[in-house]
Amino acid sequence: DYRPPRPIEQPRPVINLFVRQALADVRGSAVQVSVEITVDANGRVSSIKPFTATDSVPKRLWTAAADAAKRWKFEPARLNGQAVAGPMILTFRFAGTGAN
């Protein structure tokens, strides 16, 4: 019996000057950035890799999403009642300010 990881703390991405500059270049109302993570048996993020096509997202938004994902805390996945590492996809939404 497998139960996936469950988020218990979900800090938002930090929107600093560099992220704001990247958002100013975005055309449209929002950009979604998805990352694939592995949550270890202690409930911490142990690996992060892009899940959304990398050519469609400014690098600064990837960095902000990855930094936020590193700060998330989880109840680890469970397999037959034992805590185990498990995969998960997190999606962060950044509001764009550029013209449509």
Side-chain angles (χ1 to χ4, degrees):
D1 184 34
Y2 178 79
R3 189 176 78 214
R6 186 179 64 85
I8 55 176
E9 290 182 33
Q10 303 171 22
R12 295 175 151 232
V14 174
I15 307 299
N16 59 28
L17 177 62
F18 298 112
V19 172
R20 278 192 204 106
Q21 288 172 342
L23 288 171
D25 294 336
V26 172
R27 299 208 179 273
S29 60
V31 174
Q32 290 193 146
V33 178
S34 295
V35 293
E36 183 177 356
I37 64 168
T38 300
V39 177
D40 69 19
N42 294 314
R44 291 192 170 81
V45 175
S46 62
S47 71
I48 302 171
K49 63 182 178 180
F51 189 75
T52 305
T54 57
D55 59 348
S56 65
V57 177
K59 183 175 174 23
R60 291 176 178 167
L61 298 184
W62 280 112
T63 301
D67 289 346
K70 289 176 193 174
R71 296 190 324 268
W72 281 40
K73 304 289 184 233
F74 294 84
E75 181 179 305
R78 299 251 176 217
L79 181 60
N80 298 323
Q82 298 294 315
V84 296
M88 185 170 224
I89 295 172
L90 303 180
T91 300
F92 298 91
R93 185 175 183 274
F94 296 89
T97 58
N100 284 330

